[in-house]
Amino acid sequence: MMKLVKDINPYIFRGYDIRGIYKTEIDEDVAYTIGKSFGSKLIDLGHSQCLVGQDNRYSSPSLTSCLITGILSSGINVVDLGVVTTPIYYYASIKEKIGSGIMVTASHNPKNENGFKFAYDNTGNASGEIIEEFRTYTSSLKFHEGKGTLTKLDIKESYFKLIKDSISLGSRPLKVVIDCGNGTTSLFAKELYSLFNLDLTVLFGDSNPDFPNHHPDPSVEANLTALKAKVLEINADIGLSFDGDGDRLGIIDETGSFIAADKYMIILARYLLPKSSNKRVLYDVKCTKALPDEIIKLGGTPLCSRTGNSYTKRYTKEWDCLMGAELSGHIYFRDKFLGFDSGMYAGLRLLEVLSNTNQSLSSLLVGINKYYATDEIKIQVPDSIKFKVIEEVKNYALTNHYTINEIDGVKIEFSNGWALIRASNTGPNITARFEGISLAIKDELYTNFMKVISNIIESLR
């Protein structure tokens, strides 16, 4: 018998979604409570139905079942998409004109976690203050009672057709490796990519929520070791990797080198901006300065956003951008696509570029301004102090009269580089990245500010 939970762990209500460890922070009763709360909130907002989708994690079926039971018991009708990638869920929302819904997923987080991405309407996923307000609403346990109806919808074929009609591969044959990481794309990627004339090799294409081969986060180069090896082994033109719920992309070029999403955007900007009347491109605060440099060279307008899918997707639309991206691999196209992030689609757009040129993938980045950046660095800190750490970093920067950008955390900007320190919105971490015009500058920024961060964390423990 499911029961309502009043004292849900407040830290699972994060900046972009609800996310936590299965059974200790999120269990079936929590899912039922969130469903009941979400349905009641929709009734307050004048809605009558919503979508629900789920990823391939072990805990997703039972959590989804209890979530749906909660929603139905509030009087809201549910359209159940079954097991889908998050992009398929986004497509269903647009196609069916149902802006409200919940996707049960922990995205790229470890296998023992799960969560809920939710939206009230077609403005996109809830974030920030909206999630905080939902947490307060949920804790009241003052919910509506009703009896909604449940219908099921399979929208895969329609989604595949949208993508197939949008991609125009050139005459150049391509040898492509895709790495599904045993995540949700393992149920869809081979079939989709087989619709195109490609010499295709699939890695980790069986659905396995244990993620036995590597962590399903393609923005971390260390997770792409097997993909690199396969690209080099078969002399492939490119390797593509997708995250756990399919909304992000990782890339390996023909030399086995990792191409981050900000470099991907340079390639696409060079391809699209010269022939587009819309020259606005969005990027997040973590991206290399080489990206806005290149956009300006191409006569475009670079627009910097705070990090987070909930924000970057929304701003790409609100700011009327041709395309947008963030370093973690969320990529958005609004020229001949619908503006949401799909790793499989973003990969095909890169294949479109590559198939219409005789150049290698690595050569498409020749001539960009050279900067030296660290990977994104995660520093584990308790959720209870991570925002205090950022406030103390800000105070340190102001005391030293540094130039700062507070669009997302604290970005300390110098004439020869920058240091970014921000609180993660997906876990108990501080994230940092450093970039300089030389290796020495980058290393100096890293050394100095990592010491500052360490000292601040130690003082707050």
Side-chain angles (χ1 to χ4, degrees), residues 56 68 121 157:
N56 74 326
I68 289 175
D121 52 41
E157 294 304 322

Side-chain angles (χ1 to χ4, degrees), residues 6 37 134-143:
K6 180 174 179 59
S37 177
F134 181 69
R135 183 185 75 182
T136 302
Y137 184 90
T138 302
S139 67
S140 74
L141 300 186
K142 295 177 181 178
F143 304 140

Side-chain angles (χ1 to χ4, degrees), residues 72-86:
L72 293 173
S73 72
S74 71
I76 289 289
N77 302 324
V78 174
V79 178
D80 181 12
L81 300 171
V83 179
V84 291
T85 64
T86 295

Side-chain angles (χ1 to χ4, degrees), residues 83-208:
V83 179
V84 291
T85 64
T86 295
I88 294 176
Y89 159 82
Y90 291 149
Y91 170 68
S93 177
I94 296 169
K95 175 86 166 38
E96 299 300 308
K97 295 182 173 59
I98 303 174
S100 56
I102 297 183
M103 179 69 192
V104 180
T105 180
S107 184
H108 60 283
N109 277 32
K111 65 182 181 181
N112 63 332
E113 298 189 21
N114 215 324
F116 311 96
K117 295 180 179 179
F118 69 95
Y120 294 142
D121 52 41
N122 59 14
T123 59
N125 288 342
S127 60
E129 293 180 359
I130 296 174
I131 293 178
E132 288 297 309
E133 189 277 334
F134 181 69
R135 183 185 75 182
T136 302
Y137 184 90
T138 302
S139 67
S140 74
L141 300 186
K142 295 177 181 178
F143 304 140
H144 292 280
E145 297 294 333
K147 183 178 270 190
T149 60
L150 177 65
T151 57
K152 295 185 180 296
L153 175 66
D154 183 350
I155 204 164
K156 181 188 73 173
E157 294 304 322
S158 174
Y159 180 61
F160 279 13
K161 184 179 187 304
L162 169 76
I163 293 178
K164 182 70 166 62
D165 292 346
S166 168
I167 299 296
S168 301
L169 294 186
S171 58
R172 176 186 174 186
L174 293 176
K175 185 178 285 191
V176 178
V177 184
I178 59 173
D179 174 2
C180 300
N182 305 110
T184 313
T185 60
S186 63
L187 301 169
F188 301 95
K190 183 178 180 180
E191 182 181 352
L192 175 62
Y193 274 63
S194 296
L195 297 176
F196 300 90
N197 185 23
L198 302 168
D199 183 349
L200 184 67
T201 299
V202 180
L203 289 180
F204 315 133
D206 59 309
S207 177
N208 187 339

Side-chain angles (χ1 to χ4, degrees), residues 23 107 122 145 275 293 327 334 378 427:
K23 283 297 187 186
S107 184
N122 59 14
E145 297 294 333
K275 52 192 177 185
D293 286 354
L327 187 66
R334 296 184 61 248
K378 288 187 177 181

Side-chain angles (χ1 to χ4, degrees), residues 91 157-170 192-193 195-196 264 268 271-272 275 322 331-340 342 344-353 355-356:
Y91 170 68
E157 294 304 322
S158 174
Y159 180 61
F160 279 13
K161 184 179 187 304
L162 169 76
I163 293 178
K164 182 70 166 62
D165 292 346
S166 168
I167 299 296
S168 301
L169 294 186
L192 175 62
Y193 274 63
L195 297 176
F196 300 90
Y264 168 102
L268 269 293
Y271 184 73
L272 292 177
K275 52 192 177 185
L322 173 70
I331 299 162
Y332 318 97
F333 291 96
R334 296 184 61 248
D335 56 341
K336 54 179 182 175
F337 198 57
L338 299 176
F340 59 83
S342 164
M344 292 192 294
Y345 179 74
L348 286 165
R349 288 300 294 260
L350 186 53
L351 297 186
E352 184 177 71
V353 174
S355 68
N356 281 287

Side-chain angles (χ1 to χ4, degrees), residues 257-271:
S257 298
F258 176 65
I259 295 180
D262 48 8
K263 301 291 180 62
Y264 168 102
M265 287 295 285
I266 290 175
I267 294 171
L268 269 293
R270 285 177 162 181
Y271 184 73

Side-chain angles (χ1 to χ4, degrees), residues 218-221 224 227-228 237-241 249-268 288 326-329 331 350 354 360-366 368 375 433:
S219 68
V220 177
E221 187 173 355
L224 306 183
L227 180 59
K228 289 183 178 184
D237 296 295
I238 188 173
L240 303 170
S241 181
L249 174 69
I251 306 150
I252 298 298
D253 72 16
E254 82 286 353
T255 72
S257 298
F258 176 65
I259 295 180
D262 48 8
K263 301 291 180 62
Y264 168 102
M265 287 295 285
I266 290 175
I267 294 171
L268 269 293
T288 176
E326 59 179 85
L327 187 66
S328 63
I331 299 162
L350 186 53
L354 202 55
S360 65
L361 181 55
S362 61
S363 70
L364 295 178
L365 286 168
V366 169
I368 67 172
D375 293 332
R433 196 180 194 214

